[in-house]
Amino acid sequence: DIRNLGAVLAAVKNSGIDPAGVISVVSEVGMAAAAAVRQAYILSGPDAELTRRLTDKKKQRQVWDVAGLPNPQWRAATSIASAKKAVSDIGLPVIIKPADAGGSRGVTKLENMTQFDQACADAFAHSRNGYIMVEEFIEGLECTVETFSHKGTTHTLLCTEKVKVPG
C-alpha cells in the first residue's frame, strides 16, 4: 500500500536500491511516499511538510488565502452539520470532496440538497484526515498540469483537460 510510508521505506531499503531520486506520477496518492523516501535518502525534492501542503486541500487553501491568491469560497468540514452550514454560507452549486484524496475520488458537484447526504458520505469515505471540502463551484475548463523541477528549473510535461466520468 503506497499510503503506508513505513512499508514503502522498508521495501526500498530491502530492495538494495540506493535511490538517486524519486518522483510520483499519475496521482498525488504516491506523493507522501516519494517525500518520505527523499527525506530518508537525503534527496532533492519536496519534503514531507511541503508535500502535505500540496496534497491536503485544506492546508493548500489556507496557504493560498494567506498569500492573497485567487481562490473560490471554501470551508473545511468534519461533520455533516458543518458541511451543511458551509453549503448554506457559500450557496449552491458547490463541490464537495475529500480534503486529501487524489484522482477525483469522492468528488460531487452538488446542485441541490437532495444529493447532500450521499455527497458527504462519498467525500468522508475517501478522506484519510477526516476533513471534507465544500467549495464554491466555478464554471469553466479544468486542466491538469504535470511538471518536473530539476535544479531550480521547472519543466511542463503535460497539460490536459480534466474530463469527468459519471459515477
Side-chain angles (χ1 to χ4, degrees):
D1 180 356
I2 197 154
R3 294 169 295 186
N4 182 334
L5 304 185
V8 170
L9 288 171
V12 172
K13 180 180 178 185
N14 293 336
S15 73
I17 295 171
D18 187 17
V22 60
I23 61 172
S24 173
V25 296
V26 181
S27 173
E28 62 192 46
V29 173
M31 289 178 64
V37 173
R38 281 191 294 270
Q39 281 190 257
Y41 288 87
I42 312 169
L43 302 171
S44 64
D47 65 16
E49 179 54 33
L50 176 56
T51 299
R52 274 190 290 281
R53 288 191 313 231
L54 292 169
T55 57
D56 181 322
K57 282 114 182 133
K58 179 182 174 225
K59 290 181 184 298
Q60 183 185 85
R61 294 303 172 89
Q62 289 170 330
V63 169
W64 291 0
D65 284 346
V66 168
L69 296 173
N71 208 353
Q73 289 186 67
W74 67 277
R75 305 283 187 284
T78 56
S79 68
I80 297 292
S82 60
K84 191 171 277 190
K85 172 136 180 31
V87 172
S88 176
D89 290 348
I90 294 169
L92 293 170
V94 295
I95 298 296
I96 295 182
K97 63 185 181 182
D100 61 346
S104 297
R105 290 172 191 84
V107 177
T108 303
K109 178 183 176 188
L110 185 68
E111 299 187 60
N112 60 64
M113 293 305 284
T114 60
Q115 308 166 291
F116 175 78
D117 288 337
Q118 187 60 53
C120 288
D122 290 345
F124 278 121
H126 288 92
S127 174
R128 293 182 307 280
N129 67 7
Y131 285 95
I132 65 171
M133 301 293 290
V134 179
E135 301 175 338
E136 171 187 16
F137 175 75
I138 297 176
E139 189 70 47
L141 180 68
E142 183 179 358
C143 295
T144 298
V145 180
E146 304 294 335
T147 63
F148 181 80
S149 298
H150 180 64
K151 294 184 179 179
T153 301
T154 300
H155 306 276
T156 300
L157 303 175
L158 182 67
C159 182
T160 58
E161 179 182 352
K162 269 189 142 179
V163 178
K164 303 293 190 265
V165 178

